[in-house]
Each structure stands twice: as C-alpha cells, then as structure tokens.
Amino acid sequence: MPPPINVHSFTTEHNGIANVLKSLVNISLGFDPKAISVRPSPKEYTAIWDTGATNSVITKKVVQECGLKPISMVQVNHAGGTTVQPVYLVNIYLPNKVVFYHVRATEGDIKGSDVLVGMDIINKGDFVVTNKDGKTVFSFRCPSIERIDFVKQRPSGSSSTTPFPPSGKKIGRNDPCKCGSGKKYKKCCGRGG
C-alpha cells in the first residue's frame, strides 16, 4: 500500500459571480521552518489569483511592511512594456494552513490588491472554479491528487445539452478515497465525524 499523501486545501466563496478571484493570504520573509526557531511574523493581505501570471507578485507596501531585501533582479514583460524589477524570497500562507516556503516573488504594481498569486503556486496543485447558483466558488489543494476532466465525468451517451447529474458518480464505501490517502473511503473522508 502506498504511503498516505498529506493534502492541504481551502475553498473560498464569493457572493454573486466574481470577475476577480481573491483570497486572504499572509506573507513573511522566506525561511526554512526546520532551520530556525524564531520565525518572522507574517502579515495579512488580499491576493488576486491570476492564471495569466507566470510568477507571484508583491507590492512595495508588502516589501516595506515585511522588511524584505531583494535577492536578485528580473526582467518583467507586462502590458505597459518591459521593466527590471527586484525579486524577494517570501513564505506565502494561504487559507486553512496551506503554506509555500521560499517563493520567489517579484515586486510590481497590482490594482486592487497587494499580492498576486501566479502559476508558480497554482501549478503545484488542483485549482477549480465553479459558478453554480449565482455564486463563484474556487477551491485549491496541493499536491495535485487527480486529473479533473469534466468531459470524462459526463455520463456515457450524454451530450452537452443533456442534463448532467448534480453529484456525478457516487463513491462507494469500499472504493479508494479520492483524497489520495490510499485508504478506503469509509476509513478516510467518509467517516461520519
């Protein structure tokens, strides 16, 4: 039996249909939690999630409030042209104790937020957005534990105009748990409390 996978996840719900995906995050100076006992205190910011951004970005405000020092410079291509920007080593704390250590974050201007979570973080897990019942919900988990394919989840013989069952295929109590632990559903996420 494979060893259990330690999966971390969170879900954020927006009232109404969201045009921008946001969540709260905490940022601190990058450090290895196994190597130091006195840890820098993280500060809370609002982050925009952007699948069009290659890397994560922080504003000058975050740099100043967290006392960050640049570790390098990088050329950044953006809608306004090309600039050379400083890069900082940070730890990013997402909701529900989902943490990424030693993230290389580039300084930049972000409208409506102080942090932009880019594909350097999003690619480390599974990222899903739904808009059912007039509410936008996005959920993120890491590491990635399954391939999500809505076309393959559609019952055979159905088309895009055929009503889709709301719950998809039901997991049996003795089926492997979808969280990737290697345990049966009834002994893992299917436990009643």
Side-chain angles (χ1 to χ4, degrees):
M1 180 192 305
I5 298 170
N6 196 5
V7 178
H8 301 278
S9 59
F10 75 90
T11 298
T12 300
E13 183 174 312
H14 298 267
N15 289 325
I17 301 298
N19 293 324
V20 177
L21 298 176
K22 291 185 178 185
S23 73
L24 292 177
V25 300
N26 284 276
I27 303 288
S28 77
L29 174 69
F31 66 90
D32 180 352
K34 296 175 186 166
I36 66 170
S37 57
V38 178
R39 300 173 179 192
S41 296
K43 301 198 181 310
E44 186 175 78
Y45 301 96
T46 299
I48 293 174
W49 290 67
D50 187 352
T51 59
T54 305
N55 295 305
S56 295
V57 179
I58 56 177
T59 61
K60 185 165 241 12
K61 174 184 172 185
V62 175
V63 170
Q64 292 170 342
E65 290 182 356
C66 294
L68 304 175
K69 303 289 183 222
I71 59 166
S72 66
M73 301 294 281
V74 68
Q75 183 173 318
V76 178
N77 299 313
H78 49 79
T82 301
T83 57
V84 176
Q85 296 293 123
V87 176
Y88 302 89
L89 201 57
V90 299
N91 291 354
I92 298 180
Y93 305 80
L94 303 175
N96 205 23
K97 300 181 182 178
V98 179
V99 183
F100 291 94
Y101 297 99
H102 294 143
V103 175
R104 295 172 61 88
T106 305
E107 183 179 319
D109 295 323
I110 308 166
K111 293 196 185 331
S113 180
D114 286 304
V115 178
L116 184 143
V117 177
M119 290 303 291
D120 56 332
I121 299 293
I122 297 169
N123 277 338
K124 295 190 184 309
D126 298 320
F127 179 77
V128 177
V129 180
T130 60
N131 292 298
K132 188 170 182 325
D133 299 328
K135 291 187 178 189
T136 298
V137 175
F138 83 89
S139 195
F140 178 76
R141 70 177 169 207
C142 65
S144 179
I145 58 172
E146 72 176 311
R147 182 175 176 202
I148 300 168
D149 185 334
F150 296 130
V151 173
K152 288 186 178 179
Q153 287 179 358
R154 186 169 284 287
S156 62
S158 65
S159 69
S160 60
T161 58
T162 304
F164 187 64
S167 61
K169 182 185 173 204
K170 185 173 180 178
I171 300 172
R173 289 181 41 74
N174 290 315
D175 289 343
C177 190
K178 289 220 173 211
C179 78
S181 68
K183 297 178 184 177
K184 290 183 179 182
Y185 178 70
K186 68 183 179 185
K187 297 280 188 176
C188 191
C189 295
R191 284 189 286 200

